[in-house]
Amino acid sequence: GAGVSQSPRYKVAKRGQDVALRCDPISGHVSLFWYQQALGQGPEFLTYFQNEAQLDKSGLPSDRFFAERPEGSVSTLKIQRTQQEDSAVYLCASSFRTVGGSEQFFGPGTRLTVL
Amino acid sequence: DAKTTQPTSMDCAEGRAANLPCNHSTISGNEYVYWYRQIHSQGPQYIIHGLKNNETNEMASLIITEDRKSSTLILPHATLRDTAVYYCIVSPGVGNTGFQKLVFGTGTRLLVSP
């Protein structure tokens, strides 16, 4: 079956431009996560959705970052007025909501380069 | 603020067992031990998780010490395709909210050679 997909896979933006990154989770997955991965580092949590509700956005680095999931399926991460420090791989993950431990399924990521 | 400690890198010969250690001395009673791996240019991939009992699946085995302060991921017959960064993560169970933030460290870079 289809896994988590993300688009575009690569994005080059000039500093100051706005970008939108898309995530298509696995069908039926309630939970959706966004992570940011800088070069040579592990992924860092950005935000979490349960269906359409954004329950945690504590990892968003600034108010230039905005995420939405209006219908509880596809999610978009938007970055306004991009800066060079925003250059990273942005990963999306989804999971079932279960009691106890659960597995997150990750997409391939979008590599953002800000010039 | 990852709560685990892993060696930076390890080598393993193809066909041999790869044993990846992880220290998590501050783990609390409701926290699970998760292992993910990330092959170059791909998203992380779930491997296995456990609470206090040893676990085995088609990919690997997870051995957790009785005091739960450390664990070992075992790949029984490593192949070249197992070359990746392996992350050990401790995280509470999902509970009723479905929210389980994964806190990744820098992981162990495993190189499997012919």
Side-chain angles (χ1 to χ4, degrees), chain B residues 93-106:
Chain B
V94 173
N96 294 326
T97 66
F99 177 39
Q100 179 199 62
K101 177 174 68 176
L102 297 178
V103 179
F104 291 81
T106 51

Side-chain angles (χ1 to χ4, degrees), chain A residues 9 31 33 35 37 40-43 45 48 50 55-56 58 91 95 97-104 106-108 111, chain B residues 32 34 36 38 41-46 49 87 92-106 109:
Chain A
R9 289 295 313 278
S31 298
F33 305 81
Y35 293 83
Q37 186 171 24
Q41 302 297 313
F45 169 80
Y48 164 71
Q50 185 178 108
L55 298 187
D56 189 304
S58 62
L91 295 160
S95 72
R97 188 182 72 178
T98 61
V99 174
S102 70
E103 169 184 358
Q104 290 187 21
F106 283 81
R111 181 177 297 277
Chain B
Y32 287 71
Y34 290 84
Y36 282 75
Q38 189 170 24
S41 295
Q42 297 183 20
Q45 176 191 24
Y46 167 85
H49 75 279
Y87 296 99
V94 173
N96 294 326
T97 66
F99 177 39
Q100 179 199 62
K101 177 174 68 176
L102 297 178
V103 179
F104 291 81
T106 51
R109 187 172 299 276

